[in-house]
Amino acid sequence: MTMAERDPQLDVLTGRLADLLRPGAPSITPGPITLITGPVGAGKTTLLQSFARRCAEAGVTFLGASASRSERTVPLEVIRQLVRRATVDDTDRDRVGRLLDRAVLRWGETADEEALAPLTAAIGGELLELAAQAPAVVAVDDVQHADAPSLRCLDHLARRVTGLPVLIVLTEAPRTRPWHPTAYADLLQPARLHRVRLPLLSTDGTYQILADRLGAAVARRIADEAYRISGGNPLLVHALADDHPAGAETPTPGEAFREAVLSCLYRCEHLVLKTARALAVIEEPLHGPLLPHLVDLPSELNLHAVDAATSAGLVVADGLRHPAVRRAVLDGMTVEERARLHRAAAHLLHDDGAPPPRIAPHLLACDELTEPWMAQTLLDAGEHALADGDVDTGRRYLRRANRDCADECLRARIRSALARAEWRLDPQGAVPHLLGVATAVRAGHLGTRQAAGPIQYLLWHGQIGRAVELIHHLGERADGVDARSAADLMIIKGWMATLYPGVPLDGAAPAGTTRDPLALARVKHRLRGVLLLDTVLGRGDLGALEDAERTLGTLGLDDEPSMWNAVCAVIAMIYADRLDLAGEWCDRLDRIASARRHRTPRALLTAVAATVAGRRGDLRRARELAESALNRLSPKGWGVVIGAPLAIRLWTLTCLEEWDEAAACLRTPVPPALFETPFGLHYLHARGVHALAAGSPEAALADFQLCGQLMTSWRLDQAPLVPWRTESARALLRLGRRQQAEKVIREELDRLRPADLRYRGAALRVLGTVHEGPERIRHLRCAVRLLRQCGDRVELARALGDLGQAQQQAGDLRQARSTARAARDLAEECGLPVLRPTAAGRATATGRAASPDPGADAGILLTGLNDAESRVAALAAQGHTNREIAERMFLTVSAIEQRLTRIYRKLDVNSRSELAARLRLDR
């Protein structure tokens, strides 16, 4: 094994050897005994082996022995090893062997030192005679484990070698207490002892070993961290080198390191091993209050002997040196040993009144929860972890408590808290607990406050009937309970009315609540997000946005009501068309959810952010965010809320003309209860937009009118929620029902509020398509002005396209080109792959219902191409350039290039001439 930083110690031993070979000369270092002291694993044995080789080179006899903890009760075992190493004839060896056998029997009969003195003198004399025949070194490794008779004999030898060419070299590891204190003290008297200390390595020494084993480049990268892990223990440094994988940038403690740690501990005193195991379990400082009780010591003072020296550098004041050391110690324990220590630590902490978060980690490792306080402690610790945002830890505590809790009332509270923890990570994980919680509510084991969360989860998953049943059950009990519980019931009803506005909830608020100002204040505080949304959506009060910002500034995502309030406040900003504020708060809240690793709130906030991006006209970003939101949870996990991310994804895919992905989006299963929620309105709207773009105006009209029926019945007939009248008018125009479309769109314009610029602009664009000449241009110009003012870039690009077409039909070609160019530029910014005038506008110009694509060439259809691709193919075959085709079809140049690439691939042609030939064949 490579040695580092051991040259000074080896030089001292070499000097003693030189003194031995100079008869009569005074020794540089007095005393016949040289004692090498160093922690376990520090390299004492390696140093002694190097010294033995130098003795052999110098022609000096080396009599070596090694003591062992397992043999320290075997009399004279060390002496027997020394005799076996001596060069003697068989007669002398047999004679000394018989003497040792008699002595062993005698030592087994009595412990009287005076009675055993003659035998000690005889054996010591024989040992002296063997050593004094020529210059000799008598060496004993790990002398702290030597048996008492051997220590006595070595003491006899040490008192008689002065002036003789005999050197005694011993190695020892620092110990918490001597095994044979009297014999050990007699042998190692300071007057005849020269102590050589062998410390642990420094950082430079660690680097030297690693450089020799792994190369200088690797050693430079990992030496500092290897030193922090090993503490400079050479045995552990070599183990890290054994475990180090090629190319790794940091040390990777593995099997060799684990075995080295355990080897060190097994070679230390038993107290050190017990201390290390206890520290690995409790993860506390060395001199903490628990440790003396766990290692069965009467007081903390007994642990002062345990330090870096007596523990091979593994134990320091803060506990175990490094997490890798802790893992190695735990791996060396049985499951039963770990469970016993954890249970003992939990009992001690509970008896001392420690807080639940400190006790709970130990209860997790117990085999069973036998005491009533254990499940309660895990529940308290789990709720504390949830409040701190550590959902994973809270869920582990609650799952453990739920497994062994026998008390029905306590178990119901645990399952309610566990459902909350599971919901934050994956709402589907809360479903198995909801049935048990519902049963507990009916049995009276849970109050309104504990039932609030599970009722919200039932609503999330569309289990309306069960949620309503529980609300009614709690309402029957609320008349005789405190005002706080009654207020909690009002809060639950408020949230249900927001999520399911069409589901009736019978019964008025408990009388005590309406008369209690504190209860009413609590209700308003817990429903402030809902109230903000109602203020903006119902009354159009944009001044409430200041309240929204104040509300968001005081909210976190620590519980479900806070999360829902935050989401409602951001949605209020969206409906008020304050997309800048909404986007900023989405980012802030997402950072909070990300830091707390709340998967469900993050998914919901990502869906809201996708809506913001879509309304801003950033279609690619909206699609990316919507897909990210959908990927965070499973379709079942989303429950009825899947309508939000699914709607924005379907809408953006439709705008981007990603038809295959849009079709796959429509195949995503949605719960039937979705259509009883506002999320269902957005899904119906997106589905209708897709149907209209795909050439199915009848299906689109059905979806838009269903939105109108639901919104009217829910008394939520406001365009910022879903502009169903404007969309219905588009569908009616595609069906050629111009007069009906105009009636619907004028009704929409009459209902819109002054602040609804986005929706008024969209409605005016549709109104422009039902008129001709100057009236059409006037409406479209007004639409362009309003859409530019509100920032609806997608609708603005389309309105500019319609205006360009109207100007072209009016003969204002110069202005038409300028407007069309602005439309194409804006469409490219938004990511719109195609920009064409509305079908309704073409219908107005021709006086009849229009086909989905403009121009006479739309009638030329090629097998395998849709109508838009057929027109591009026809124009390209006629010799038009890409830019000419783009201007004629109101497309971007890049969109034409992409379409031609797809056309070439579908028709298996490589040039425009081949395309023209293929077109003639298909005709």
Side-chain angles (χ1 to χ4, degrees):
M1 183 179 289
T2 303
M3 292 201 306
E5 298 183 336
R6 298 298 181 249
D7 290 343
Q9 292 82 4
L10 187 57
D11 290 343
V12 171
L13 294 176
T14 303
R16 297 304 309 267
L17 180 61
D19 293 343
L20 192 68
L21 297 175
R22 291 198 301 268
S27 175
I28 299 175
T29 52
I33 299 178
T34 298
L35 179 65
I36 304 171
T37 303
V40 170
K44 301 182 297 297
T45 300
T46 303
L47 180 64
L48 196 60
Q49 291 170 349
S50 297
F51 180 57
R53 287 192 292 272
R54 294 198 175 185
C55 290
E57 293 168 358
V60 174
T61 301
F62 187 88
L63 304 180
S66 177
S68 168
R69 178 189 299 178
S70 63
E71 296 176 341
R72 58 188 176 188
T73 58
V74 180
L76 299 172
E77 176 58 31
V78 171
I79 301 301
R80 285 186 186 276
Q81 292 184 46
L82 293 173
V83 171
R84 281 196 292 270
R85 292 293 303 272
T87 303
V88 295
D89 56 33
D90 293 341
T91 303
D92 291 338
R93 192 183 302 278
D94 292 342
R95 176 176 53 79
V96 175
R98 288 193 295 272
L99 174 61
L100 294 176
D101 291 341
R102 288 198 308 273
V104 168
L105 293 175
R106 184 60 176 156
W107 253 290
E109 295 171 356
T110 180
D112 186 357
E113 295 290 342
E114 292 185 3
L116 295 171
L119 277 173
T120 300
I123 296 172
E126 290 291 346
L127 189 60
L128 180 61
E129 184 177 346
L130 291 174
Q133 293 177 359
V137 172
V138 177
V140 179
D141 195 14
D142 285 334
V143 71
Q144 76 273 7
H145 293 314
D147 58 278
S150 293
L151 292 174
R152 291 296 183 190
C153 294
L154 288 172
D155 176 48
H156 182 91
L157 174 66
R159 284 186 279 109
R160 287 164 176 77
V161 297
T162 302
L164 298 176
V166 177
L167 174 63
I168 301 175
V169 179
L170 309 175
T171 72
E172 70 160 0
R175 60 214 176 279
T176 58
R177 58 183 179 83
W179 181 252
H180 304 292
T182 303
Y184 204 75
D186 288 343
L187 173 62
L188 301 181
Q189 296 178 26
R192 63 187 184 200
L193 185 70
H194 176 67
R195 190 180 296 272
V196 177
R197 300 191 183 278
L198 200 65
L200 296 173
L201 302 175
S202 66
T203 307
D204 291 339
T206 303
Y207 167 79
Q208 291 175 24
I209 291 179
L210 294 173
D212 184 71
R213 293 287 309 277
L214 304 174
V218 175
R220 277 193 294 272
R221 291 199 305 268
I222 70 172
D224 289 342
E225 182 62 21
Y227 177 76
R228 282 190 287 271
I229 296 173
S230 67
N233 187 304
L235 183 63
L236 301 185
V237 175
H238 280 284
L240 289 173
D242 291 338
D243 286 331
H244 190 73
E249 294 296 323
T250 58
T252 308
E255 183 67 20
F257 182 81
R258 184 182 73 85
E259 295 297 334
V261 168
L262 296 178
S263 173
C264 288
L265 288 175
Y266 294 149
R267 289 161 59 190
C268 293
E269 295 297 315
H270 191 59
L271 175 60
V272 174
L273 177 61
K274 291 175 64 177
T275 300
R277 286 176 169 175
L279 290 173
V281 167
I282 63 176
E283 297 185 78
E284 290 190 355
L286 174 61
H287 299 297
L290 290 182
L291 190 58
H293 302 282
L294 293 178
V295 296
D296 302 323
L297 291 178
S299 72
E300 182 186 349
L301 297 176
N302 299 76
L303 289 171
H304 283 192
V306 180
D307 57 17
T310 57
S311 67
L314 299 175
V315 178
V316 294
D318 292 335
L320 293 179
R321 166 170 294 282
H322 192 273
V325 174
R326 176 177 179 266
R327 289 193 296 270
V329 175
L330 290 175
D331 288 345
M333 301 170 64
T334 63
V335 174
E336 292 77 12
E337 288 173 333
R338 292 197 296 269
R340 179 183 61 80
L341 284 172
H342 279 295
R343 177 178 290 276
H347 274 282
L348 289 169
L349 290 169
H350 178 259
D351 293 343
D352 289 343
R358 193 175 174 203
I359 305 173
H362 299 295
L363 293 176
L364 279 181
C366 293
D367 48 359
E368 57 183 358
L369 306 179
T370 55
E371 302 290 336
W373 57 267
M374 292 180 171
Q376 179 66 56
T377 299
L378 284 169
L379 171 59
D380 294 341
E383 291 184 326
H384 187 275
L386 292 181
D388 285 347
D390 190 355
V391 182
D392 287 323
T393 299
R395 182 173 63 167
R396 285 199 302 272
Y397 292 160
L398 294 168
R399 282 180 173 178
R400 185 68 183 86
N402 184 57
R403 194 168 75 230
D404 283 355
C405 182
D407 182 86
E408 289 299 325
C409 291
L410 181 58
R411 186 181 179 86
R413 291 172 53 203
I414 292 170
R415 297 197 75 171
S416 175
L418 182 56
R420 185 162 75 252
E422 297 283 6
W423 183 87
R424 290 189 188 178
L425 296 177
D426 183 0
Q428 187 63 20
V431 173
H433 306 290
L434 298 181
L435 178 60
V437 171
T439 303
V441 171
R442 287 191 291 268
H445 296 323
L446 288 178
T448 307
R449 191 175 184 186
Q450 291 84 15
I455 289 175
Q456 287 182 338
Y457 310 146
L458 289 171
L459 296 174
W460 175 284
H461 287 291
Q463 299 184 29
I464 308 171
R466 186 170 293 171
V468 171
E469 177 192 351
L470 294 183
I471 291 174
H472 287 164
H473 184 84
L474 292 171
E476 293 171 0
R477 291 164 44 189
D479 294 334
V481 298
D482 60 290
R484 184 184 181 109
S485 296
D488 288 334
L489 182 60
M490 288 184 65
I491 294 168
I492 295 173
K493 289 183 176 182
W495 284 114
M496 181 164 184
T498 302
L499 189 57
Y500 292 92
V503 176
L505 283 174
D506 300 329
T513 308
T514 58
R515 291 194 300 267
D516 187 341
L518 293 179
L520 286 175
R522 172 177 168 78
V523 171
K524 290 181 179 179
H525 178 74
R526 300 294 279 181
L527 292 176
R528 55 196 185 277
V530 172
L531 297 175
L532 280 169
L533 187 58
D534 179 67
T535 300
V536 171
L537 189 59
R539 299 198 297 272
D541 184 4
L542 300 186
L545 291 180
E546 295 182 4
D547 294 334
E549 286 208 87
R550 282 195 295 271
T551 296
L552 288 169
T554 60
L555 285 175
L557 299 175
D558 299 330
D559 54 22
E560 283 64 54
S562 295
M563 187 206 74
W564 282 113
N565 276 309
V567 170
C568 285
V570 175
I571 292 175
M573 293 176 177
I574 294 175
Y575 288 154
D577 231 7
R578 290 302 306 274
L579 302 180
D580 51 345
L581 283 178
E584 179 183 341
W585 278 105
C586 277
D587 292 340
R588 290 189 191 180
L589 294 171
D590 183 70
R591 285 194 293 271
I592 296 173
S594 177
R596 294 176 178 270
R597 291 178 292 181
H598 290 182
R599 190 183 308 159
T600 302
R602 281 203 74 191
L604 190 53
L605 287 166
T606 304
V608 175
T611 302
V612 173
R615 294 197 176 209
R616 281 176 166 175
D618 191 347
L619 296 179
R620 293 189 178 90
R621 176 65 174 162
R623 179 179 63 179
E624 177 185 333
L625 288 171
E627 290 173 353
S628 175
L630 288 166
N631 290 333
R632 292 187 189 278
L633 301 176
S634 65
K636 287 187 177 180
W638 270 104
V640 297
V641 188
I642 195 173
L646 209 56
I648 187 62
R649 182 167 187 261
L650 178 57
W651 181 80
T652 54
L653 290 173
T654 301
C655 292
L656 295 170
E657 293 193 359
E658 299 287 350
W659 305 115
D660 292 340
E661 291 189 46
C665 190
L666 284 171
R667 289 194 295 270
T668 302
V670 296
L674 167 66
F675 302 102
E676 298 186 54
T677 71
F679 302 113
L681 297 177
H682 293 292
Y683 180 76
L684 286 171
H685 172 250
R687 193 172 71 179
V689 170
H690 176 270
L692 191 60
S696 300
E698 297 90 349
L701 182 61
D703 280 341
F704 298 143
Q705 289 181 340
L706 179 56
C707 280
Q709 294 168 13
L710 292 173
M711 293 167 66
T712 302
S713 65
W714 297 345
R715 298 182 181 179
L716 291 175
D717 191 4
Q718 299 294 336
L721 185 58
V722 170
W724 68 272
R725 289 182 178 83
T726 299
E727 300 297 353
S728 297
R730 296 185 205 273
L732 289 168
L733 286 171
R734 291 289 293 272
L735 291 169
R737 294 152 65 176
R738 176 181 171 186
Q739 291 182 346
Q740 190 175 353
E742 183 175 3
K743 179 182 178 182
V744 170
I745 203 63
R746 289 195 180 277
E747 180 183 353
E748 176 80 323
L749 287 167
D750 291 340
R751 293 177 57 87
L752 289 172
R753 297 169 299 205
D756 296 333
L757 302 182
R758 174 184 298 266
Y759 310 101
R760 186 173 297 276
L764 285 172
R765 179 191 165 217
V766 176
L767 183 61
T769 62
V770 300
H771 289 89
E772 303 180 30
E775 189 73 10
R776 180 186 182 200
I777 293 176
R778 183 175 66 83
H779 288 312
L780 288 174
R781 280 178 174 166
C782 187
V784 166
R785 177 177 56 81
L786 293 175
L787 293 170
R788 184 175 282 123
Q789 186 176 347
C790 72
D792 188 346
R793 299 195 303 161
V794 171
E795 192 67 17
L796 175 59
R798 290 169 172 166
L800 285 169
D802 289 350
L803 179 59
Q805 185 204 32
Q807 290 168 337
Q808 183 182 29
Q809 291 171 352
D812 191 352
L813 300 181
R814 181 176 180 182
Q815 189 62 44
R817 282 194 295 271
S818 176
T819 304
R821 187 178 302 110
R824 286 196 302 272
D825 292 343
L826 185 56
E828 195 162 350
E829 289 179 15
C830 295
L832 286 170
V834 85
L835 186 63
R836 62 172 66 91
T838 60
R842 297 190 306 276
T844 300
T846 60
R848 64 180 185 277
S851 60
D853 281 310
D857 294 320
I860 303 173
L861 296 177
L862 299 178
T863 303
L865 302 183
N866 60 33
D867 51 356
E869 290 171 341
S870 294
R871 184 165 184 246
V872 171
L875 291 172
Q878 293 170 11
H880 293 285
T881 66
N882 289 351
R883 180 166 297 279
E884 290 171 344
I885 298 173
E887 291 178 354
R888 186 160 180 176
M889 293 186 66
F890 291 92
L891 296 170
T892 62
V893 174
S894 61
I896 295 298
E897 293 172 350
Q898 294 171 14
R899 285 180 175 241
L900 279 173
T901 300
R902 291 198 298 269
I903 291 168
Y904 284 6
R905 184 175 64 251
K906 288 181 178 181
L907 299 182
D908 193 23
V909 297
N910 298 312
S911 65
R912 297 192 180 213
S913 58
E914 292 182 13
L915 177 62
R918 176 64 182 273
L919 182 61
R920 287 193 294 273
L921 288 175
D922 282 359
R923 284 181 173 177

